[in-house]
Amino acid sequence: MNNLIKAKYLFKHRNELVSDKEYEPLSVTQHGIVPRLSNVALSKVDDNRKKVCKDDIVLNSRSARRGSSGVSMYDGCVSGVNHVIFSDKILPKFSHYFIKSKHFMDQYYIHGKGIHDDIWGTRIDELLSIKIPFYKKEKQIEIIKNIENFENAIQKKINISLDKMKLLKLFLKSKTNEILFGKNSSLGFKENTLEIDLEKKFSSWTKIKLNFLGNFYKGRGLDKSKLKDSGMPCILYGEIYSKYNIKFNKASSFTDKENEKNCELVYKNDILLTASGETSEEIGKAIAYMGNEPILAGGDVIIFRIKEENKINPIFLSYFLNSLYGIFQKEVYAKGYITFHIYEAQLQNLVVFYPTIKEQNKIVKQLNFYYETINSIIEKETSKLKIYDEVMKNQISKYFQN
């Protein structure tokens, strides 16, 4: 890569501190700079945010947020953990592509300091010491156009996969509700009372509040900092969102055996629910644990243990709690503005209805077929998206290699 010049000769540092009351708060993500995300925890008015002007380059200083950067399309402000720079010599789109290249991200990390990745960061002087390719604007425009043409072709493929996945998820959700409750059942709230109008064929189903079916326990004493490569199997609440759906047999995380005395154990047939989430719809996502060995549950995990005398298939209950009817009820009880919460006292009031155990098992078999078939297709499309992303990164990096 020719014409390398230290960034300090091409960029200026914008370090003006402003209030998020006067300037629009922005989030720095791997997909660029966007208006503040709804899942970012809010604090009181912050007067120590960094000012951002349109076409400024913003980069998160922490290596744990590798690739969280971009050229801002907005005037606004960002957290003080970010660096803000600007240039009248480098076109904004050229800067955008360069900071997304593997070469730059590697250099950004190499120039940083820290004990380990979680607290590794790159200071502004270290950022400005990185060598940047400098071309005349005509050459910059040529490179931009070449990358854009390739990017547009890749984006078409990405959109096809995303649309396919969206339709598959909608179909799966619709099919789940149809199998569980029929096509003509309805649900609503009137004067804080849940009203359920089931089709006639469901009239023989048992209808009961969740607290009569089992007992609640709270995960505790475990967070990401206590995870190990091996040891006692465990699960954190974030993994319920990111790694599991409906049911699972093995935990993919581990912690020291000695943490068992400070944590809550999860046993086979327990239902795990999330106590907090980014949206009211996500809150209380449920998964059934079907493994034979006990595992540990971290904070913000609610454990529901079905009483032995109740003839409930835990996988059926998991499907129910994740259905339109389960979500609708949990949304009503979820509290929060940016992060939503739900508690055992509220979950106890969820109304559950179910048939005989024989019919439950039959329904579970049907639902498992659809889930496994459709999710296998979704996984293939997800793999395609990862490939497209890697192809795009490699294409960008071709223009900025040593």
Side-chain angles (χ1 to χ4, degrees), residues 56-74:
D56 282 356
I57 296 94
V58 187
L59 310 96
N60 192 303
S61 65
R62 295 175 181 167
S63 68
R65 298 292 182 265
R66 179 183 171 95
S68 292
S69 59
V71 175
S72 180
M73 297 172 59
Y74 313 93

Side-chain angles (χ1 to χ4, degrees), residues 106-369:
D106 288 346
Q107 289 298 309
Y108 195 56
Y109 179 84
I110 291 168
H111 281 71
K113 292 182 176 65
I115 300 172
H116 53 77
D117 279 355
D118 285 345
I119 57 173
W120 190 281
T122 305
R123 301 194 311 266
I124 185 64
D125 59 313
E126 295 165 337
L127 163 61
L128 294 176
S129 69
I130 296 173
K131 290 184 177 180
I132 305 289
F134 178 63
Y135 299 101
K136 292 182 179 180
K137 289 191 175 178
E138 292 78 8
K139 181 64 175 178
Q140 292 182 44
I141 292 171
E142 178 187 334
I143 292 173
I144 290 169
K145 286 183 176 179
N146 288 338
I147 296 176
E148 280 182 338
N149 289 336
F150 190 87
E151 188 174 41
N152 290 337
I154 290 292
Q155 191 60 50
K156 287 180 181 178
K157 295 179 181 292
I158 290 172
N159 290 341
I160 290 171
S161 288
L162 290 174
D163 289 343
K164 187 174 182 179
M165 290 167 66
K166 183 179 179 180
L167 288 172
L168 286 167
K169 289 176 181 178
L170 286 172
F171 173 77
L172 186 56
K173 185 181 292 187
S174 174
K175 199 66 182 177
T176 299
N177 292 315
E178 180 185 330
I179 292 173
L180 279 173
F181 313 113
K183 294 181 178 180
N184 301 313
S185 298
S186 63
L187 173 143
F189 269 86
K190 185 177 181 180
E191 297 178 355
N192 295 323
T193 301
L194 179 68
E195 292 188 341
I196 304 168
D197 183 18
L198 290 173
E199 292 181 11
K200 286 184 179 180
K201 66 178 181 179
F202 298 102
S203 60
S204 62
W205 284 27
T206 300
K207 185 168 69 174
I208 193 171
K209 285 189 176 181
L210 199 57
N211 65 311
F212 292 109
L213 292 179
N215 299 307
F216 288 93
Y217 302 88
K218 191 74 169 68
R220 55 191 169 85
L222 188 64
D223 57 33
K224 188 177 179 181
S225 67
K226 295 181 180 179
L227 296 185
K228 303 293 181 181
D229 292 333
S230 61
M232 180 78 176
C234 62
I235 185 169
L236 303 181
Y237 92 96
E239 293 176 319
I240 297 177
Y241 288 119
S242 62
K243 294 184 178 181
Y244 307 105
N245 283 301
I246 303 300
K247 57 187 172 69
F248 72 114
N249 297 314
K250 290 184 178 180
S252 59
S253 295
F254 302 90
T255 189
D256 289 332
K257 177 73 174 176
E258 63 185 36
N259 289 325
E260 181 177 342
K261 59 187 176 183
N262 299 315
C263 298
E264 198 67 44
L265 282 167
V266 177
Y267 299 98
K268 184 175 183 177
N269 296 331
D270 283 353
I271 304 292
L272 306 183
L273 304 102
T274 53
S276 62
E278 297 175 358
T279 68
S280 60
E281 183 178 350
E282 285 183 350
I283 194 68
K285 179 182 175 182
I287 55 174
Y289 177 58
M290 305 307 293
N292 291 317
E293 63 174 325
I295 64 174
L296 301 179
D300 263 359
V301 176
I302 297 174
I303 305 162
F304 180 70
R305 189 159 299 142
I306 301 168
K307 294 176 183 177
E308 290 185 9
E309 61 267 27
N310 291 312
K311 303 297 183 182
I312 299 290
N313 183 323
I315 301 175
F316 175 89
L317 184 56
S318 180
Y319 275 121
F320 179 92
L321 292 172
N322 290 302
S323 71
L324 172 67
Y325 293 79
I327 292 171
F328 184 87
Q329 294 181 77
K330 287 180 286 185
E331 277 192 291
V332 170
Y333 291 118
K335 305 294 182 183
Y337 175 52
I338 295 302
T339 300
F340 293 86
H341 301 275
I342 197 165
Y343 305 96
E344 296 96 313
Q346 296 156 332
L347 289 170
Q348 288 176 3
N349 293 316
L350 297 188
V351 177
V352 177
F353 34 100
Y354 57 92
T356 63
I357 190 67
K358 182 178 179 180
E359 184 65 21
Q360 288 178 53
N361 294 339
K362 180 181 176 182
I363 290 172
V364 165
K365 187 176 181 179
Q366 284 181 282
L367 289 171
N368 283 347
F369 169 77

